[in-house]
Amino acid sequence: MNPLIAKETKVLIVDDQVLAKGYMKYSLEELGFSDITYVDKVNLALNKIRHQRYDLIVCSYNLKHEQDGYYFYDEINRNGELPPSTAFVFISADTTADLVQSIVELQPDDFLAKPFTVKELDRRLTRILSRKRALQNIYWCIEKKQFPKALSEVEIFLSEPKNSEFFPLALKIKGEILQACGQYSQAKVFYQAILNVQKFTWAQLGLVKTHLFLNEDEAAEKLVLRLAFKPESQLAAYDLLMSLQIKQGDFDTALECVLMASEISPRNIRRHKTALDLSRITHDYHIQFEAAKKIVKFAKNSIHDMPEHYLNVARAGIDYAMTADEEQTATLVKQANEYIRQLRQAFPKADMQDQINVINARMLYLADEKDNAKSLLEQLDDENWENESIEALLDKAKAFHEIGLHARSQEILLEIARRCDENDQSSEIFLHYIEQEKVEKGRIKLSSKELNNSGVQRFQEGDIDSAFHTFVDAFTLMPKNSAIALNLLQVLTIKQLHCDEAYKKTIQRCVKTVESSVLNDEQESRYTKIRELLDDIA
């Protein structure tokens, strides 16, 4: 280790194991480092980096007291709190597939497996810090968002043969800077030139991004599908494919992409949140419920843990119960209550009673106690919307709609839309969902729970036209419900609309739902008869 580099390097060690900290201190001091700060918790590390700058952060991947280093790194990287000139190294005794995949996804500067020797530490840190120093002029420009100047610095760097060891990284940075400048056409030409020489994964992913920005969707899809089969680019490819499908309005396929990515890297809370929002748009209540539970699971006891995650599980469970049969509804309500219990245990001082009362009112509605639900909602403090979270307002809008106070529900949805428009942090997916909610709840006055029962009743009374319109509304809100899909198919065939081009897509969606579900004997018999009339279409 160059003594001057070691002396000038400000180090932050994040590790909660006393022996590990002792060995790291010994090793670093042996190499000449002296400006070393130690912390044993993520919140202390966050406080340190928000008040002073470090040249090197060495972090245990397996912090026990709060949460592992995955969330710490992801947090500071996403929030722009990890300067590109700062080196970040993970250390861990664990080398499981989960950790390896996390390293592939996060891409820290290095990963060091325990136990390691002072010699090995010297070799790794020398390489990393030398690279950071060589590229420091470029990094400083990027940190100040002086991208044109950063491009000039990259060109100067690439013109000097002494830097040849770092040329691949400098070229990667150049592509990222071109995109940061909005020079997507130039970035496209740059990536294509690189790929003509060598098939770097980063260049292929960069080219996909430029295709997307230039609205060259077909070219983007063709390349990203190939990248999805390569382990080193699989996660990034699924994320890009999801973005493409969202851009094209294919939310079902986008949801499939994010679920596949989440299966590979389950710790990524951000993807579970995306899955939750996409499942809302697609009315996939089962996936919404599972995504909400995974957010609680992976955020628990971490810097991301918060009371609203637990409430969101209860809310998603009620949304799901609105579409379920009596037995499944009872199970879902029980689970919702369990997450409220966990919330009170984990956050005993959190004042969430009004939000819990809204959930309780929705449970009363599920139990056919509509008047009691209305009475409970009337007791709420309804004057301080500014102090309520968007999720709390959304649940309140659903509750008011379910008990028949439709104007009040729409008023709250408008407030949510207004707040989202003013907040740059709101995702496009969530904004789409809110607009969809406004339209659907403005047009469909009955709740999910009421729709199918109403359709069946009208069908049994011989009012086929009313039954048809009710089942259409029910299928709009519950497109994954096989019973509703089957009822709608039956009415379509009775009305002889199964040959009408206007209903072809609806019929195909109904068939897909029915054929991907487990049917009972009675449903199987009905579907066999209906299918005979649909073979020429479906």
Side-chain angles (χ1 to χ4, degrees), residues 44-102:
L44 296 177
L46 286 171
N47 185 58
K48 288 290 185 184
I49 66 168
R50 286 167 181 168
H51 289 89
Q52 52 191 305
R53 186 187 188 94
Y54 293 92
D55 304 299
L56 170 64
I57 299 173
V58 180
C59 179
S60 169
Y61 188 85
N62 310 96
L63 297 174
K64 297 289 191 299
H65 294 321
E66 286 183 75
Q67 188 56 281
D68 61 27
Y70 179 104
Y71 294 108
F72 172 55
Y73 181 87
D74 188 56
E75 177 85 359
I76 60 176
N77 197 35
R78 286 281 169 176
N79 292 345
E81 296 175 302
L82 180 63
S85 58
T86 296
F88 192 103
V89 178
F90 274 127
I91 55 173
S92 177
D94 184 11
T95 54
T96 62
D98 176 57
L99 181 141
V100 172
Q101 187 57 64
S102 295

Side-chain angles (χ1 to χ4, degrees), residues 479-532:
K480 314 299 179 184
N481 189 304
S482 58
I484 289 169
L486 192 56
N487 289 339
L488 179 53
L489 280 173
Q490 186 168 4
V491 174
L492 281 164
T493 55
I494 290 172
K495 286 175 66 66
Q496 297 186 343
L497 294 172
H498 54 286
C499 296
D500 191 327
E501 276 294 315
Y503 294 99
K504 184 175 181 180
K505 188 171 286 187
T506 299
I507 289 169
Q508 290 173 335
R509 290 175 63 219
C510 286
V511 167
K512 181 180 178 181
T513 296
V514 172
E515 295 192 348
S516 61
S517 306
V518 178
L519 306 180
N520 60 36
D521 292 342
E522 184 270 337
Q523 289 173 328
E524 284 282 5
S525 177
R526 284 172 59 200
Y527 183 59
T528 299
K529 294 174 184 176
I530 293 168
R531 186 58 200 250
E532 291 174 1

Side-chain angles (χ1 to χ4, degrees), residues 80 390 451 465:
I390 285 178
L451 279 167
D465 286 338

Side-chain angles (χ1 to χ4, degrees), residues 450-462:
E450 295 167 322
L451 279 167
N452 195 46
N453 293 338
S454 175
V456 170
Q457 182 180 346
R458 291 177 183 185
F459 180 81
Q460 290 172 343
E461 292 170 353

